[in-house]
């Protein structure tokens, strides 16, 4: 939808709905649906003069589409990860990883990077991989003599590797919002957000 630049809102009016939404949801503890709804209504009131006549409904339709479609894609991906985590196959993988052991401290350090990325691949989420990896493997790694601070740093770094698979929720979200496709846009993401964290985490092995 077009916009009348002569009547464009100032910066305070532009950021006010965002601030109101954050305050209502995080501090006033209003349910997100109501906090966002109030922010939308505030947007309409503040920006009404800036939207050309007859463009209000198309603008709302476009905003709704831009918000709902990424939401559907992200929830679908997250839902798949949750289903996978409940399967027997996931238990088999988890048990196999738990039985992994090595008498070499360096080999165990390398396994931190590898296991974290296996979990990130299964979860499709860096934060999920961090939580599950530390919960299931931290005691074994501590028993092998690895420093807890080192484990934390390497797990956090390594988790940003295989979580960036093509079906990762964040990848899907940014490509959907940017109106891009995987064929043309995924390779730069692959090198920057998948390979780089793994290589950096592997460098941490030299400081174990």
């Amino acid at each position: 939808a077009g916009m009348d630049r002569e009547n464009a809102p100032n910066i305070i009016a532009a950021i006010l709905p965002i601030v109101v939404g954050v305050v209502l949801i995080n501090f006033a503890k209003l349910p997100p649906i109501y906090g966002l709804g109030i922010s939308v209504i505030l947007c309409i009131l503040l920006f009404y003069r800036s939207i050309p006549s007859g463009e209000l409904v198309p603008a709302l339709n476009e905003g709704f589409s831009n918000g709902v479609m990424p939401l559907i894609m992200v929830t679908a991906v997250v839902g798949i990860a949750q289903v996978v985590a409940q399967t027997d196959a996931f238990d088999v993988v988890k048990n196999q990883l738990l039985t992994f052991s090595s008498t070499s401290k360096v080999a165990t350090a390398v396994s931190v990077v590898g296991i974290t990325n296996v979990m990130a691949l299964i979860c499709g989420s860096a934060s999920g991989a961090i939580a599950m990896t530390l919960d299931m493997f931290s005691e074994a790694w501590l028993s092998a003599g690895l420093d807890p601070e080192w484990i934390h740093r390497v797990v956090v770094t390594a988790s940003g590797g295989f979580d960036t698979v093509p079906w990762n929720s964040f990848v899907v979200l940014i490509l959907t919002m940017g109106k891009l496709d995987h064929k043309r846009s995924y390779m730069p993401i692959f090198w920057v957000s998948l390979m780089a964290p793994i290589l950096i985490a592997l460098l941490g092995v030299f400081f174990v």
Side-chain angles (χ1 to χ4, degrees), residues 4-208:
D4 185 354
R5 293 185 179 276
E6 294 183 358
N7 294 320
N10 58 47
I11 187 171
I12 295 178
I15 66 173
L16 184 60
I18 300 175
V19 174
V20 170
V22 170
V23 170
L24 290 177
I25 295 172
N26 293 281
F27 297 98
K29 303 301 181 182
L30 205 62
I33 186 65
Y34 297 120
L36 293 174
I38 292 173
S39 295
V40 170
I41 294 173
L42 186 58
C43 283
I44 296 174
L45 295 176
L46 291 174
F47 306 152
Y48 184 80
R49 294 183 57 189
S50 302
I51 302 175
S53 177
E55 292 290 335
L56 177 60
V57 173
L60 292 174
N61 288 336
E62 183 176 352
F64 180 82
S65 177
N66 290 340
V68 170
M69 291 309 296
L71 178 63
I72 293 174
M73 298 296 291
V74 170
T75 51
V77 172
V78 172
I80 292 173
Q82 292 298 317
V83 171
V84 170
Q86 302 301 318
T87 62
D88 293 336
F90 181 84
D91 286 335
V92 171
V93 172
K94 180 178 69 175
N95 292 332
Q96 288 296 320
L97 293 174
L98 282 169
T99 57
F100 178 85
S101 62
S102 174
T103 56
S104 169
K105 187 176 181 180
V106 173
T108 305
V110 173
S111 77
V112 175
V113 180
I115 290 175
T116 301
N117 274 284
V118 170
M119 301 307 296
L121 179 62
I122 293 173
C123 296
S125 164
S127 58
I130 293 171
M132 296 181 69
T133 300
L134 293 178
D135 181 56
M136 292 191 294
F137 303 101
S138 59
E139 290 187 9
W141 291 335
L142 290 171
S143 299
L146 298 182
D147 181 74
E149 292 185 3
W150 182 92
I151 294 173
H152 180 266
R153 291 191 184 99
V154 172
V155 168
V156 170
T157 303
S159 67
F162 276 0
D163 78 307
T164 315
V165 287
W167 56 87
N168 172 266
S169 58
F170 179 71
V171 173
V172 174
L173 175 62
I174 60 174
L175 293 183
T176 301
M177 295 188 68
K179 294 180 171 53
L180 302 170
D181 57 45
H182 282 75
K183 182 177 180 180
R184 293 182 298 170
S185 307
Y186 182 69
M187 285 310 295
I189 298 174
F190 171 84
W191 289 111
V192 173
S193 189
L194 191 150
M195 290 304 300
I198 293 176
L199 294 175
I200 294 171
L202 287 173
L203 287 176
V205 173
F206 294 100
F207 301 94
V208 65

